[in-house]
Amino acid sequence: MAEINRAEVMDALHECYDPEIPVNIVDLGLIYDVDINNEEGSVHVSMTLTAMGCPMAGEVIEEVQMRVGQVENVKKCQVDLTFDPPWSPDRMT
């Protein structure tokens, strides 16, 4: 069975940027969890946004789904937004 490479998924996430801050969403600390299911060929990303009412939320989610979906062996990518725990600048690397 073909496996999804976690490093390639993380590389794809590093290509996604917050539209208001020129920093990628991984370094911003917006990614809370990445769950890979090789049997289904799926990736589940749990993430947050810098602000709850972010008008660009849809675009950020679409970009994550598009970029992770381009990783070899990924058949689908689901993104769930959560605000628990809330994001703060302390999460940035």
Side-chain angles (χ1 to χ4, degrees):
M1 174 176 32
E3 297 214 347
I4 297 168
N5 183 314
R6 184 175 187 82
E8 289 178 16
V9 170
M10 295 309 294
D11 285 348
L13 291 172
H14 274 96
E15 295 296 316
C16 301
Y17 284 80
D18 183 291
E20 297 171 352
I21 308 167
V23 178
N24 72 69
I25 61 175
V26 176
D27 291 342
L28 269 176
L30 300 181
I31 302 298
Y32 286 173
D33 188 41
V34 175
D35 184 40
I36 294 172
N37 182 324
N38 283 304
E39 287 180 21
E40 295 179 0
S42 66
V43 177
H44 179 256
V45 178
S46 178
M47 65 175 290
T48 194
L49 299 169
T50 53
M52 200 176 284
C54 177
M56 305 301 283
E59 290 178 35
V60 173
I61 291 168
E62 285 176 21
E63 185 176 13
V64 169
Q65 289 173 326
M66 188 248 327
R67 292 196 183 269
V68 172
Q70 292 173 343
V71 172
E72 190 175 3
N73 302 317
V74 174
K75 293 186 180 97
K76 69 178 184 176
C77 174
Q78 178 183 342
V79 178
D80 284 335
L81 279 185
T82 182
F83 294 98
D84 182 27
W87 180 85
S88 76
D90 298 342
R91 295 190 58 88
M92 295 174 71
T93 54

